[in-house]
Amino acid sequence: MINVHLTGTGCCLPEHVLTNHDLESIVDTSDEWIRRRTGICERRIARDIENETTARLGARAALKALAMAGVQPKEIDTIVVGTVTADRQFPSAACMIQKELQITDAAAYDVSAGCSGFIFALETASNAIRVNGVRNVLVIGVERLSSILNWQDRNTCVLLGDGAGAILLQAESAPGGVLTTNIRSDGGRWDLLYAEYGPSSEPPIANMAPAKPFFLKMEGNRLFKHAVNCLSKIAIMALEKSGLTLDDISIVIPHQANMRIIRAVADKLQIDMQRFYVNLEKYGNTSSASIPIALDEANRNGLIQPGDNVLLISFGAGLTWGSALIKWTCQQDK
Ligand code: UT7
């Protein structure tokens, strides 16, 4: 019997801190509005275009996860990256991270599922281990959303931030590890959150015009209700599939989009907010990076212990939503 064990976590945040007060001089907003409506106080923005690329942030997070697990980069078989902000249209962020890690013989590919990218990547990686006999897989969530934000749109630019988180998954026969993953999409509602122009939405070659900027657009208010419903439903699905109850869950790591969404999910599921790990006040919504960053912080702060059942829940553009339930076996002092 092959089980999928999580053996290391890591994260990497850009240096520059952009506070709500800083944003007051960029758009018509206030610290009070952003805190009250979202819970966000500040976020990190990648300003160093050499060292804070998607590839470099992702690689640094991955190296920390590898160090925790005591595994060398050359032992990695597969790299799966959830992102919508790869440094280039192609190659994939995963291939560029592979180069940073100096791994020459591994499969590397991206998964595009908006803010659910990390959970979709985790499902894909778990299946590679269980079905294809792969042994060591890096799963990374990384975004530089600041590069696709319209800094004149207060509806979006105050919400998002940059960063990377990573985990290492390893095939082991011992019980525990990833108990279940669940992913869902509703493409009929893609227009609630999307990038305004894609490379082929208006090909510049057809009209000889320069490519238009690539801005993120969001109907936050309508997304809010879907987020609460989908996150709650996919949490229940994880419990049903693993035969556990809410009482068995030690910690919930939700996608960090909005404190009010997280509270509404806690209310709906009737779980005490104390069992939710929240760090969005420091980083804002980092899309597919938010869950692995929070997971790494909670792990390094000693909030997750071997034997704990850890529930991850995500929601994002697509629409997409997903969950994973992990019986924690990660030892930090390997
Ligand atoms: O991560 C993937 C998925 N993302 C989500 O799930 C996000 C879900 N949505 C949300 O988190 C919230 O809907 C937002 C934080 C985006 C917005 O909060 P809201 O309570 O839904 O506000 P709203 O969009 O209904 O806007 C309320 C008011 C509007 O003014 P009027 O029309 O009432 O006069 C907005 O123009 O707040 C105004 N507003 C702002 N005011 C100050 C919108 N953005 C800002 C701002 N500063 N930054």
Side-chain angles (χ1 to χ4, degrees):
M1 173 79 181
I2 297 170
N3 288 306
V4 179
H5 283 250
L6 188 162
T7 55
T9 63
C11 77
C12 179
L13 279 308
E15 288 288 308
H16 181 69
V17 177
L18 186 73
T19 66
N20 291 349
H21 290 293
D22 294 332
L23 279 163
E24 288 173 353
S25 61
I26 300 174
V27 281
D28 179 15
T29 191
S30 66
D31 174 54
E32 193 274 330
W33 190 97
I34 303 170
R35 276 177 200 258
R36 187 162 46 81
R37 297 286 180 129
T38 70
I40 299 165
C41 302
E42 58 188 42
R43 69 286 294 140
R44 300 296 183 90
I45 301 294
R47 290 211 303 198
D48 181 340
I49 55 165
E50 283 289 310
N51 292 310
E52 294 179 339
T53 59
T54 294
R56 293 210 158 146
L57 293 170
R60 266 184 250 138
L63 284 172
K64 289 183 190 165
L66 289 171
M68 185 181 288
V71 169
Q72 296 300 316
K74 62 176 187 300
E75 297 176 69
I76 295 302
D77 304 303
T78 302
I79 304 169
V80 193
V81 177
T83 190
V84 294
T85 47
D87 293 311
R88 296 176 186 274
Q89 178 68 26
F90 66 88
S92 63
C95 283
M96 293 181 75
I97 289 171
Q98 181 180 22
K99 180 183 177 191
E100 294 292 323
L101 297 175
Q102 297 176 11
I103 301 171
T104 51
D105 185 18
Y109 54 92
D110 292 354
V111 171
S112 173
C115 300
S116 299
F118 176 76
I119 298 291
F120 277 58
L122 175 54
E123 156 138 332
T124 308
S126 299
N127 289 342
I129 290 175
R130 280 192 228 277
V131 180
N132 290 340
V134 169
R135 300 209 62 79
N136 300 322
V137 184
L138 273 170
V139 184
I140 302 169
V142 54
E143 301 288 2
R144 277 190 61 217
L145 288 162
S146 61
S147 64
I148 60 164
L149 289 180
N150 178 352
W151 288 95
Q152 293 170 347
D153 177 13
R154 68 177 184 175
N155 291 297
T156 53
C157 75
V158 306
L159 304 173
L160 300 142
D162 302 334
I167 60 172
L168 179 67
L169 296 180
Q170 294 191 271
E172 283 177 25
S173 55
V178 179
L179 304 180
T180 174
T181 55
N182 307 279
I183 57 174
R184 286 287 179 276
S185 310
D186 176 4
R189 298 182 203 277
W190 69 264
D191 56 346
L192 296 184
L193 177 54
Y194 61 98
E196 199 171 5
Y197 298 104
S200 42
S201 63
E202 279 184 67
I205 202 152
N207 53 17
M208 303 304 278
K212 291 195 176 163
F214 192 75
F215 290 146
L216 178 147
K217 302 268 274 188
M218 179 192 291
E219 268 197 60
N221 208 296
R222 287 178 60 203
L223 268 184
F224 193 108
K225 298 178 194 91
H226 290 295
V228 175
N229 282 331
C230 294
L231 287 165
S232 308
K233 270 194 294 189
I234 207 82
I236 299 291
M237 192 183 286
L239 294 170
E240 286 174 354
K241 274 179 61 181
S242 54
L244 298 178
T245 68
L246 283 170
D247 290 341
D248 297 317
I249 302 302
S250 317
I251 187 166
V252 184
I253 313 251
H255 170 48
Q256 312 277 317
N258 187 322
M259 191 64 188
R260 287 159 51 221
I261 293 177
I262 297 173
R263 282 212 189 93
V265 172
D267 274 359
K268 219 172 157 98
L269 295 174
Q270 297 185 310
I271 314 183
D272 192 330
M273 265 302 286
Q274 295 297 331
R275 279 197 278 161
F276 280 72
Y277 187 77
V278 179
N279 64 1
L280 59 78
E281 69 282 358
K282 291 186 291 185
Y283 308 129
N285 178 350
T286 56
S287 185
S288 64
S290 89
I291 289 178
I293 292 172
L295 189 63
D296 183 49
E297 270 196 8
N299 185 28
R300 285 176 196 266
N301 291 337
L303 300 177
I304 311 178
Q305 297 300 327
D308 282 353
N309 292 311
V310 180
L311 176 61
L312 315 179
I313 49 175
S314 72
F315 172 80
L319 300 179
T320 55
W321 56 106
S323 60
L325 222 163
I326 303 171
K327 169 77 79 184
W328 204 253
T329 51
C330 176
Q331 303 280 355
Q332 284 198 55
D333 48 3
K334 250 188 188 174

